[in-house]
């Protein structure tokens, strides 16, 4: 029995949240739906833990959907990278939903809670599906599942600006998805297959053909839009700033990371290192954009009054770090990029969760209203400061590990300039983090801050778990950087 | 449009045939052109026609919002549930062969029939929901 379940784990990873989503609509009652959805998320997390264990022990797992063998049917394929992404996406989903009840009652009308849970689970289904599938068209389908549900999730935000923000995201996201679909269509036309491994084997014959080049272009731009790579990031700040706190925490920690995963899959596993980087020089195109993104977005973050918006701009900068790591196309660079996927997911998830606590007590996330809040909400703001240290990359936090790998990768390639720029960019992060910390701890309390009290324990504990994990993974890196190294090797090795 | 006698009479006459045709497209989908999606749209078109002539309130009486919501969810459950059933019967997810291990081709036939039924339910219900949401704007 256990073995039978074990064999079905790859598909259960996606099917469990997919089945649970419509069940939420049928259950409907708030008191039933939330615990049910939370339980489902934790179950999904357990599946991903078990999958990662299997992959690290026994290598790549392949699963044939519907019993149709790989090049013809849809294949689910779990390698070290996919398992790593599955793990942190499902883990953060579970933790955020555990934290959610109080914040949810405060920000979303009770009559919509069952719809929220349905959308949340669908979004999770899509993100997990993207990571696990080995089929190109399936990637697009899951991309749309997660994107459509996240537009609706963002639109649930209480302020009026949430609607235009969601609409802008919808327009930009749809353009991105369309580009990706056009790219996939052209590649299908070239090779006659949709299976990633099969396509990777057939593409060399088509290299140099203009169709393949056009497909490559469409895919690069489409994915860049989805992951909010500078200068295609304009949809992101508003979407993150005006979404409900829980949605910001979940989407900021997972959605763009999964898009980075898609980039890795397409450029390394399907097109291959040689074609993408040596022939077409993708690295030379990505690196300046990544660096520009880091500096422009960090600078923009410094001038934000809305702290959630500030964190959103910081996210754009962090995407820059991940893409920078990828643009080196070396084992160290990729490890840096991949481990930053994980580390930044923890840090940003935790920071947005702390902002959710602030929102609950202050009903505002403006910096002016947050003045002196450190006195009323010491635990929340201490957690925030801890996350901020991670963003800067202070030693003994997870952010330090990422930057260490990135700087090492830059020095390996002899680009001292990039290493120096990386260090300088940390100073910008220091400025925007310090601005909030200073206002919260050393300014006279604002009117709202005087009336505030500490956030409920049910919200503080998950926040601290996530931000505590950033310290844990800043010191003990076997399960973050260690796995990321294996993932980087798997990616560089291509699909075999 | 309730005072247009011709429209009322003709649409009342047509309505059962529209719904019947939807069912034909649904269940004949594996022999001829058609399938769950097309059938769902045709089925919903019947409701839209009814709404255009007799008003949204009449549609809501036949298909209350809560019921539509349930049908949307049930359709997805029917589809994914078929996959779970095949897993419980020893196959992979959506491996219809497992539904009838003595005659795999019969299993394939049943599987696709049930799955398409799920698609049809969800598509029809979503179409009706989209129509009534837009038609009901400002009325809440």
């Amino acid at each position: 029995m256990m073995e039978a379940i074990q064999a079905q784990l790859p598909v259960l990873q996606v099917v469990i949240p997919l089945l649970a989503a419509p069940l939420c609509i049928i259950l409907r009652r708030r008191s039933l739906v939330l615990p049910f959805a939370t339980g489902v998320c934790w179950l999904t997390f357990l599946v991903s833990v078990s999958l990662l264990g299997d992959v690290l022990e026994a290598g790549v797992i392949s699963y044939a959907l519907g019993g149709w063998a790989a090049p013809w049917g849809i294949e689910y394929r779990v390698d070290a990278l996919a398992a790593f992404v599955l793990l942190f996406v499902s883990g953060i989903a579970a933790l955020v939903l555990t934290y959610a009840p109080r914040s949810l009652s405060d920000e979303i009308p009770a009559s919509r809670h069952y719809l929220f849970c349905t959308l949340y689970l669908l979004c999770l289904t899509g993100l997990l599906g993207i990571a696990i599938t080995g089929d190109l068209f399936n990637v697009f389908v899951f991309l749309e599942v997660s994107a459509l549900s996240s537009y609706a999730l963002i639109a649930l935000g209480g302020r009026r600006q949430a609607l235009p923000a969601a609409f802008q995201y919808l327009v930009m996201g749809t353009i991105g998805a369309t580009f990706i679909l056009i790219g996939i269509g052209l590649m299908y036309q070239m090779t006659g297959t949709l299976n990633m491994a099969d396509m990777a084997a057939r593409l060399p014959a088509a290299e140099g053909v203009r169709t393949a080049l056009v497909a490559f272009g469409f895919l690069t731009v489409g994915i860049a839009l989805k992951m909010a790579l500078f200068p295609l990031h304009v949809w992101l700040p508003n979407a993150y700033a005006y979404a409900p706190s829980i949605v910001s925490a979940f989407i900021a920690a997972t959605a763009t990371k999964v898009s980075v995963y898609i980039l890795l899959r397409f450029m390394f596993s399907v097109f291959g290192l040689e074609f993408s980087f040596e022939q077409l020089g993708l690295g030379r195109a990505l690196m300046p954009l990544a660096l520009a993104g880091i500096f422009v977005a960090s600078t923009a973050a410094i001038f934000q009054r809305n702290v959630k918006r500030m964190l959103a701009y910081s996210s754009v900068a962090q995407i820059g770090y991940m893409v920078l790591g990828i643009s080196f196309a070396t084992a160290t660079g990729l490890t840096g990029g991949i481990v930053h996927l994980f580390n930044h997911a923890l840090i940003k998830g935790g920071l947005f969760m702390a902002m959710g606590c602030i929102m609950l007590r202050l009903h505002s996330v403006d910096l002016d209203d947050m003045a002196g809040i450190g006195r009323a909400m010491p635990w929340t703001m201490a957690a925030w400061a801890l996350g901020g240290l991670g963003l800067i990359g202070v030693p003994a936090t997870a952010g330090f590990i990422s930057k260490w790998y990135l700087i090492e990768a830059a020095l390996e390639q002899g680009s001292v300039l990039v290493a120096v720029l990386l260090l300088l960019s940390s100073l910008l992060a220091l400025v925007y983090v310090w601005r909030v910390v200073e206002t919260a701890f050393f300014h006279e309390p604002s009117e709202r801050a005087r009336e505030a009290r500490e956030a409920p324990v049910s919200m503080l504990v998950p926040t601290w778990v996530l931000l505590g994990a950033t310290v844990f993974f800043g010191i003990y890196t076997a399960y973050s950087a260690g796995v990321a190294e294996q993932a980087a090797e798997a990616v560089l090795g291509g699909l075999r | 449009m309730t005072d247009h006698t011709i429209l009322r009479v003709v649409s009342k006459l047509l309505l059962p045939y529209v719904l019947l045709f939807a069912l034909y497209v649904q269940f004949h989908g594996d022999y001829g052109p058609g399938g769950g999606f097309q059938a769902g749209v045709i089925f919903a078109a019947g409701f839209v026609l009814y709404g255009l002539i007799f008003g949204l309130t009449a549609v809501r009486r036949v298909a209350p919002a809560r019921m539509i919501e349930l049908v949307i969810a049930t359709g997805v459950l029917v589809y994914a549930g078929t996959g779970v059933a095949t897993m419980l019967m020893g196959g992979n997810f959506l491996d219809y062969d497992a539904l009838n291990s003595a005659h795999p081709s019969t299993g394939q036939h049943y599987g696709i029939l049930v799955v398409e039924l799920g698609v049809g339910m969800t598509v029809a219900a979503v179409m009706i929901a989209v129509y009534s949401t837009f038609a009901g704007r400002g009325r809440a």
Side-chain angles (χ1 to χ4, degrees), chain A residues 7-8 11-12 15 18-19 22-23 25-28 63-68 114-115, chain B residues 66 69-70 72-74 76-77 80-81 84 87-88 90-96 108:
Chain A
Q8 302 293 333
V11 77
L12 285 176
V15 166
L18 177 66
L19 262 178
L23 280 174
I25 290 187
I26 291 173
L27 287 176
R28 190 161 213 212
Y63 181 92
L65 235 78
W68 301 100
Y114 73 107
L115 290 176
Chain B
R66 175 67 184 148
E69 227 174 63
L70 280 178
I72 293 175
T74 314
V76 181
L77 278 180
V84 174
M87 278 178 3
L88 291 177
N92 271 2
F93 188 71
L94 289 178
D95 181 356
Y96 307 135
Q108 288 285 344

Side-chain angles (χ1 to χ4, degrees), chain A residues 174-454:
Chain A
T174 306
I175 295 173
T178 310
F179 272 41
I180 293 174
L181 183 61
I182 293 173
I184 293 174
L186 290 173
M187 283 161 72
Y188 181 49
Q189 187 195 355
M190 285 302 303
T191 56
T193 183
L194 283 169
N195 183 280
M196 287 183 189
D198 197 28
M199 185 171 286
R202 286 164 186 247
L203 261 181
E207 256 172 33
V209 179
R210 191 165 294 148
T211 314
L213 295 176
V214 174
F216 187 85
F218 269 112
L219 283 168
T220 314
V221 176
I223 297 169
L225 243 172
K226 277 281 175 189
M227 66 185 185
L229 177 66
F230 179 84
L232 301 173
H233 65 281
V234 282
W235 57 267
L236 187 142
N238 282 338
Y240 286 10
Y242 299 117
S245 308
I246 316 146
V247 177
S248 303
F250 176 53
I251 292 186
T254 54
T256 46
K257 316 292 176 299
V258 172
S259 304
V260 174
Y261 169 85
I262 302 178
L263 181 80
L264 285 169
R265 266 283 167 266
F266 276 88
M267 298 316 161
F268 289 90
S269 307
V270 178
F271 281 106
L273 182 68
E274 199 189 326
F275 180 70
S276 311
F277 284 87
E278 285 167 24
Q279 286 186 29
L280 291 180
L282 184 67
R284 284 196 300 281
L286 288 181
M287 191 181 289
L289 291 180
L291 283 170
I294 293 172
F295 278 90
V296 174
S298 298
T299 314
I302 295 176
F303 294 100
Q304 298 305 318
R305 303 302 306 172
N306 179 323
V307 181
K308 271 175 82 177
R309 233 177 119 84
M310 185 207 92
L311 290 177
Y313 271 107
S314 150
S315 278
V316 176
Q318 306 296 321
I319 293 289
Y321 288 115
M322 292 166 213
V323 174
L324 185 70
I326 294 168
S327 74
F328 289 126
T330 59
T332 324
L334 272 178
T335 307
I338 294 169
V339 79
H340 199 51
L341 281 183
F342 175 77
N343 289 338
H344 179 246
L346 298 183
I347 297 170
K348 214 27 95 51
L351 280 171
F352 271 113
M353 280 159 87
M355 289 318 294
C357 298
I358 305 263
M359 189 70 182
L360 179 75
R361 292 305 190 210
L362 288 185
H363 295 288
S364 160
V365 286
D366 274 9
L367 196 57
D368 299 327
D369 291 322
M370 278 174 68
I373 190 67
R375 270 171 245 181
M377 305 173 73
W379 286 98
T380 307
M381 279 321 291
W384 201 100
L386 188 63
L389 291 180
L391 277 184
I392 301 166
V394 174
T397 64
F400 176 72
I401 306 293
S402 322
K403 285 192 181 156
W404 181 266
Y405 273 101
L406 290 177
I407 290 174
E408 200 181 310
L411 293 178
E412 261 178 19
Q413 298 224 318
S415 36
V416 182
L417 179 68
V418 175
V420 172
L421 286 176
L422 269 170
L423 289 172
L424 279 179
S425 71
S426 300
L427 288 180
L428 289 176
L430 178 66
V431 174
Y432 63 72
V433 168
W434 176 247
R435 228 172 116 244
V436 176
V437 172
E438 189 199 349
T439 314
F441 283 103
F442 302 110
H443 282 199
E444 274 302 301
S446 70
E447 259 173 57
R448 289 182 194 231
R450 250 182 285 248
E451 290 161 16
R453 54 206 167 85
E454 186 54 88

Side-chain angles (χ1 to χ4, degrees), chain B residues 19-117:
Chain B
L19 300 186
L20 196 65
F21 183 60
L23 292 179
Y24 166 77
V25 172
Q26 171 82 53
F27 292 108
H28 207 258
D30 37 354
Y31 296 114
F37 191 90
Q38 292 83 339
V41 174
I42 298 172
F43 201 80
F47 281 78
V48 174
L49 175 68
Y50 189 61
L52 287 175
I53 307 293
F54 297 93
L56 188 60
T57 335
V59 175
R60 291 239 168 109
R61 214 177 301 135
V62 186
R66 175 67 184 148
M67 191 189 94
I68 291 296
E69 227 174 63
L70 280 178
V71 177
I72 293 175
T74 314
V76 181
L77 278 180
V78 167
Y79 197 132
T82 312
V84 174
T86 59
M87 278 178 3
L88 291 177
M89 293 167 88
N92 271 2
F93 188 71
L94 289 178
D95 181 356
Y96 307 135
D97 284 359
L99 290 175
N100 190 339
S101 46
H103 303 282
S105 58
T106 315
Q108 288 285 344
H109 189 82
Y110 287 148
I112 199 74
L113 209 64
V114 177
V115 159
E116 288 288 323
L117 181 65

